[in-house]
Amino acid sequence: MKPGRFIKTIVILTMVFFYLPLFIVVLMSFNSAKSPVWSGFTLKWYLELFTREYSVWHAFRNSLIVAIVSSTVSTAIGTLTAIELFWKKSRLENSIWFLTYLPFVVPDVIIGISLLLLFSMFKVQLGLFTITLAHITFSIPYTMMIVHSRLQDFDKSIIEAAYDLGSTDFQVFYRVIIPNLVPGIVAAFLLAFTLSIDDFVITFFVAGPGSTTLPIQIYSMIRFGISPTVNAISTFMIAGTILIGFVLRRFVRYIF
């Protein structure tokens, strides 16, 4: 077999292995039986999801609140930090980037335990507040990297021209810098939103009573067997992730 054909075969098998389970989940959400054997088409699991599973929608609301708040805050912090590091070179820059990259290699379990110990030490009650803080913490490095990559192609002569025309620092910031960074900022927000809405491990450690998010709710539902309702929920999550992926892809084109 030629090397090119072999590589193509490996790629195809990998894609099949990755996407086949997702296809099965979507297919089984329309299965009339609870067993994994196809018995006929039905929409009753979606009807049950919308009419009976109130706890699911409560968890989804919690996830949405946490994702929107944490994504907004982490994107704002990441954007301002990336701008500061890009324009004002410092001897501490390498150290700051090293600390920024650490969350990428530290296991989520360690981050979750560390945050739980921190909140316990300061006697912070676990709930949506602690979940939001945790999500902001692990999202900031991603937003910093995306915005900073957008800044690599930034033409600094635009800044000089704005100053020559009498603009103040604040006017340069919100009329010149921010508009040019919009694609990167939107991409950073969408990535942070996806990471937050999908997180389970870290959230599991810092969640409290009444602050169940959607991933935790799904986990509690499948502990005693996979319910077809879970397949329906998963189908909505897959569809939402694909939609965000398409939007994110549009903005990422302008970053790299």
Coordinates of all heavy atoms in Angstrom, one line a residue, residues 78-122:
G78 N -8.7 38.0 29.5 CA -7.8 37.5 28.5 C -7.4 38.5 27.5 O -6.2 38.6 27.1
T79 N -8.4 39.3 27.0 CA -8.1 40.3 26.0 C -7.2 41.4 26.5 O -6.2 41.8 25.9 CB -9.5 40.9 25.5 OG1 -10.3 39.9 24.9 CG2 -9.2 42.0 24.5
L80 N -7.6 41.9 27.7 CA -6.8 43.0 28.3 C -5.3 42.5 28.6 O -4.4 43.3 28.3 CB -7.4 43.5 29.5 CG -8.8 44.2 29.3 CD1 -9.4 44.6 30.6 CD2 -8.6 45.5 28.4
T81 N -5.2 41.3 29.1 CA -3.9 40.8 29.4 C -3.1 40.6 28.2 O -1.9 40.9 28.1 CB -4.0 39.5 30.2 OG1 -4.9 39.6 31.3 CG2 -2.7 39.0 30.7
A82 N -3.7 40.0 27.1 CA -3.0 39.8 25.9 C -2.5 41.1 25.3 O -1.3 41.2 24.8 CB -3.9 39.0 24.9
I83 N -3.3 42.1 25.3 CA -2.9 43.5 24.8 C -1.8 44.0 25.6 O -0.8 44.6 25.0 CB -4.1 44.4 24.8 CG1 -5.2 44.0 23.8 CG2 -3.7 45.8 24.5 CD1 -6.5 44.8 23.9
E84 N -1.9 43.9 26.9 CA -0.8 44.4 27.7 C 0.5 43.7 27.5 O 1.6 44.4 27.4 CB -1.2 44.3 29.2 CG -0.2 44.8 30.2 CD -0.1 46.3 30.2 OE1 -1.0 47.0 29.7 OE2 0.9 46.8 30.7
L85 N 0.5 42.4 27.3 CA 1.7 41.6 27.1 C 2.3 41.9 25.7 O 3.5 41.8 25.5 CB 1.5 40.2 27.3 CG 1.2 39.7 28.7 CD1 0.8 38.2 28.7 CD2 2.4 39.9 29.6
F86 N 1.4 42.2 24.8 CA 1.9 42.4 23.4 C 2.6 43.8 23.2 O 3.6 43.9 22.5 CB 0.7 42.3 22.4 CG 1.1 42.4 21.0 CD1 1.8 41.4 20.3 CD2 0.8 43.6 20.3 CE1 2.1 41.5 19.0 CE2 1.2 43.7 19.0 CZ 1.8 42.7 18.3
W87 N 2.0 44.8 23.8 CA 2.5 46.2 23.6 C 3.6 46.6 24.6 O 4.5 47.3 24.2 CB 1.4 47.2 23.7 CG 0.9 47.6 22.3 CD1 1.6 48.5 21.5 CD2 -0.2 47.1 21.5 NE1 0.9 48.6 20.3 CE2 -0.2 47.7 20.3 CE3 -1.2 46.1 21.8 CZ2 -1.1 47.5 19.3 CZ3 -2.1 45.9 20.8 CH2 -2.1 46.5 19.6
K88 N 3.5 46.1 25.8 CA 4.5 46.5 26.8 C 5.4 45.3 27.2 O 5.0 44.4 28.0 CB 3.8 47.1 28.0 CG 3.0 48.3 27.7 CD 2.4 48.9 29.0 CE 1.7 50.2 28.6 NZ 1.1 50.8 29.8
K89 N 6.5 45.2 26.5 CA 7.4 44.0 26.8 C 8.0 44.2 28.2 O 8.3 45.2 28.6 CB 8.5 44.0 25.8 CG 8.1 43.9 24.3 CD 7.3 42.6 24.1 CE 6.8 42.5 22.6 NZ 6.0 41.3 22.4
S90 N 8.0 43.0 28.9 CA 8.5 43.0 30.3 C 9.4 41.8 30.5 O 9.3 40.8 29.8 CB 7.3 43.0 31.2 OG 7.7 42.7 32.5
R91 N 10.2 41.9 31.5 CA 11.1 40.8 31.8 C 10.3 39.6 32.4 O 10.7 38.5 32.4 CB 12.2 41.2 32.8 CG 13.2 42.2 32.3 CD 14.2 42.6 33.3 NE 13.5 43.4 34.4 CZ 14.1 43.9 35.5 NH1 15.4 43.6 35.7 NH2 13.5 44.5 36.4
L92 N 9.1 39.9 32.8 CA 8.2 38.9 33.4 C 7.3 38.2 32.4 O 6.6 37.3 32.7 CB 7.3 39.5 34.5 CG 8.1 40.1 35.7 CD1 7.0 40.8 36.7 CD2 8.8 39.0 36.5
E93 N 7.5 38.7 31.1 CA 6.6 38.1 30.1 C 6.7 36.6 29.9 O 5.6 35.9 29.9 CB 6.9 38.8 28.7 CG 5.9 38.4 27.6 CD 6.2 39.1 26.3 OE1 7.0 40.0 26.3 OE2 5.5 38.7 25.3
N94 N 7.9 36.1 29.9 CA 8.1 34.7 29.7 C 7.5 33.9 30.9 O 6.9 32.8 30.7 CB 9.6 34.3 29.5 CG 10.1 34.8 28.2 OD1 9.4 34.9 27.2 ND2 11.4 35.1 28.2
S95 N 7.7 34.5 32.1 CA 7.1 33.8 33.3 C 5.6 33.8 33.3 O 5.0 32.8 33.7 CB 7.6 34.5 34.6 OG 9.1 34.5 34.6
I96 N 5.0 34.9 32.8 CA 3.6 35.0 32.8 C 3.0 34.0 31.8 O 2.0 33.3 32.0 CB 3.1 36.4 32.4 CG1 3.5 37.4 33.5 CG2 1.6 36.5 32.1 CD1 3.2 38.9 33.2
W97 N 3.7 33.9 30.6 CA 3.2 32.9 29.6 C 3.4 31.5 30.1 O 2.6 30.6 29.8 CB 3.9 33.1 28.3 CG 3.3 34.2 27.5 CD1 3.9 35.4 27.1 CD2 2.0 34.3 26.9 NE1 3.1 36.2 26.4 CE2 1.9 35.5 26.2 CE3 0.9 33.4 26.9 CZ2 0.7 35.9 25.6 CZ3 -0.3 33.8 26.3 CH2 -0.4 35.0 25.6
F98 N 4.5 31.2 30.8 CA 4.7 29.9 31.4 C 3.5 29.5 32.4 O 3.0 28.4 32.3 CB 6.0 29.9 32.1 CG 6.3 28.6 32.9 CD1 6.6 27.4 32.2 CD2 6.1 28.5 34.3 CE1 6.8 26.2 32.9 CE2 6.3 27.4 35.0 CZ 6.7 26.2 34.3
L99 N 3.2 30.5 33.2 CA 2.1 30.3 34.1 C 0.7 30.1 33.4 O -0.1 29.4 33.8 CB 2.0 31.4 35.2 CG 3.2 31.5 36.1 CD1 3.0 32.8 37.0 CD2 3.3 30.3 37.0
T100 N 0.6 30.8 32.3 CA -0.6 30.7 31.5 C -0.7 29.3 30.8 O -1.8 28.8 30.7 CB -0.6 31.8 30.4 OG1 -0.5 33.1 31.0 CG2 -1.9 31.7 29.5
Y101 N 0.4 28.7 30.4 CA 0.4 27.4 29.7 C 0.2 26.3 30.7 O -0.2 25.2 30.3 CB 1.6 27.2 28.9 CG 1.8 28.1 27.7 CD1 3.0 28.7 27.4 CD2 0.7 28.4 26.9 CE1 3.2 29.5 26.3 CE2 0.8 29.2 25.8 CZ 2.1 29.8 25.5 OH 2.2 30.6 24.4
L102 N 0.4 26.5 32.0 CA 0.3 25.4 33.0 C -1.0 24.7 33.0 O -1.1 23.5 33.1 CB 0.7 26.0 34.4 CG 2.2 25.9 34.8 CD1 2.4 26.4 36.2 CD2 2.7 24.5 34.6
P103 N -2.2 25.5 33.0 CA -3.5 24.8 33.0 C -3.7 23.9 31.9 O -4.5 23.0 32.0 CB -4.5 26.0 33.0 CG -3.7 27.2 33.5 CD -2.3 27.0 33.1
F104 N -2.9 24.0 30.8 CA -3.1 23.1 29.6 C -2.6 21.7 29.9 O -3.0 20.7 29.3 CB -2.4 23.7 28.4 CG -3.0 25.0 27.9 CD1 -2.2 26.0 27.4 CD2 -4.4 25.2 27.9 CE1 -2.7 27.2 26.9 CE2 -4.9 26.4 27.5 CZ -4.1 27.4 27.0
V105 N -1.6 21.7 30.8 CA -0.9 20.4 31.1 C -1.3 19.8 32.5 O -1.1 18.6 32.7 CB 0.6 20.5 31.0 CG1 1.0 20.8 29.5 CG2 1.2 21.6 31.9
V106 N -1.8 20.6 33.3 CA -2.2 20.1 34.7 C -3.5 19.4 34.5 O -4.5 20.0 34.0 CB -2.3 21.3 35.7 CG1 -2.9 20.8 37.0 CG2 -1.0 22.0 35.9
P107 N -3.7 18.2 35.0 CA -4.9 17.5 34.9 C -6.1 18.2 35.6 O -5.9 18.9 36.6 CB -4.6 16.1 35.7 CG -3.2 16.0 35.6 CD -2.6 17.4 35.7
D108 N -7.3 18.1 35.0 CA -8.5 18.8 35.5 C -8.8 18.3 36.9 O -9.3 19.1 37.7 CB -9.7 18.5 34.6 CG -9.6 19.2 33.3 OD1 -8.7 20.1 33.2 OD2 -10.4 18.9 32.4
V109 N -8.5 17.1 37.2 CA -8.7 16.6 38.6 C -7.9 17.4 39.6 O -8.4 17.8 40.7 CB -8.4 15.1 38.7 CG1 -8.5 14.6 40.1 CG2 -9.3 14.3 37.8
I110 N -6.7 17.7 39.3 CA -5.8 18.4 40.2 C -6.3 19.9 40.3 O -6.4 20.4 41.4 CB -4.3 18.5 39.7 CG1 -3.8 17.0 39.5 CG2 -3.5 19.3 40.6 CD1 -3.8 16.2 40.8
I111 N -6.7 20.5 39.2 CA -7.3 21.8 39.3 C -8.6 21.8 40.1 O -8.8 22.7 41.0 CB -7.6 22.3 37.9 CG1 -6.3 22.5 37.1 CG2 -8.3 23.7 37.9 CD1 -6.5 22.9 35.6
G112 N -9.4 20.8 39.9 CA -10.7 20.8 40.7 C -10.4 20.6 42.2 O -11.0 21.3 43.0
I113 N -9.5 19.7 42.6 CA -9.2 19.5 44.0 C -8.5 20.8 44.6 O -8.9 21.2 45.7 CB -8.2 18.3 44.2 CG1 -8.9 17.0 43.8 CG2 -7.7 18.2 45.6 CD1 -8.0 15.8 43.8
S114 N -7.7 21.4 43.8 CA -7.0 22.6 44.3 C -8.0 23.8 44.6 O -8.0 24.4 45.6 CB -6.0 23.1 43.3 OG -5.0 22.1 43.0
L115 N -8.9 23.9 43.7 CA -10.0 25.0 43.8 C -10.9 24.6 45.0 O -11.3 25.5 45.8 CB -10.8 25.1 42.6 CG -10.0 25.8 41.4 CD1 -10.9 25.7 40.1 CD2 -9.7 27.2 41.7
L116 N -11.2 23.4 45.2 CA -12.0 22.9 46.3 C -11.4 23.2 47.6 O -12.0 23.8 48.6 CB -12.4 21.4 46.2 CG -13.1 20.8 47.3 CD1 -14.5 21.5 47.5 CD2 -13.3 19.3 47.1
L117 N -10.1 22.9 47.7 CA -9.3 23.2 48.9 C -9.2 24.7 49.2 O -9.4 25.2 50.3 CB -7.9 22.7 48.8 CG -7.8 21.1 48.9 CD1 -6.4 20.7 48.6 CD2 -8.3 20.6 50.2
L118 N -9.1 25.5 48.1 CA -9.0 27.0 48.2 C -10.3 27.5 48.8 O -10.4 28.3 49.7 CB -8.7 27.6 46.9 CG -8.6 29.1 46.9 CD1 -7.4 29.6 47.7 CD2 -8.5 29.6 45.4
F119 N -11.4 27.1 48.2 CA -12.7 27.6 48.6 C -13.0 27.1 50.1 O -13.6 27.9 50.9 CB -13.8 27.1 47.7 CG -13.8 27.6 46.3 CD1 -14.0 26.8 45.2 CD2 -13.4 28.9 46.1 CE1 -14.0 27.4 43.9 CE2 -13.3 29.5 44.8 CZ -13.6 28.7 43.7
S120 N -12.6 25.9 50.4 CA -12.8 25.4 51.8 C -12.0 26.2 52.8 O -12.5 26.5 53.9 CB -12.5 23.9 51.8 OG -13.3 23.2 51.0
M121 N -10.8 26.6 52.4 CA -9.9 27.3 53.3 C -10.5 28.7 53.6 O -10.4 29.1 54.8 CB -8.5 27.5 52.6 CG -7.5 28.2 53.5 SD -5.9 28.4 52.6 CE -5.5 26.6 52.3
F122 N -11.1 29.3 52.6 CA -11.7 30.6 52.8 C -13.2 30.6 53.2 O -13.9 31.6 53.2 CB -11.5 31.5 51.6 CG -10.0 32.0 51.4 CD1 -9.2 31.3 50.5 CD2 -9.5 33.0 52.1 CE1 -7.9 31.7 50.4 CE2 -8.2 33.4 51.9 CZ -7.4 32.8 51.1

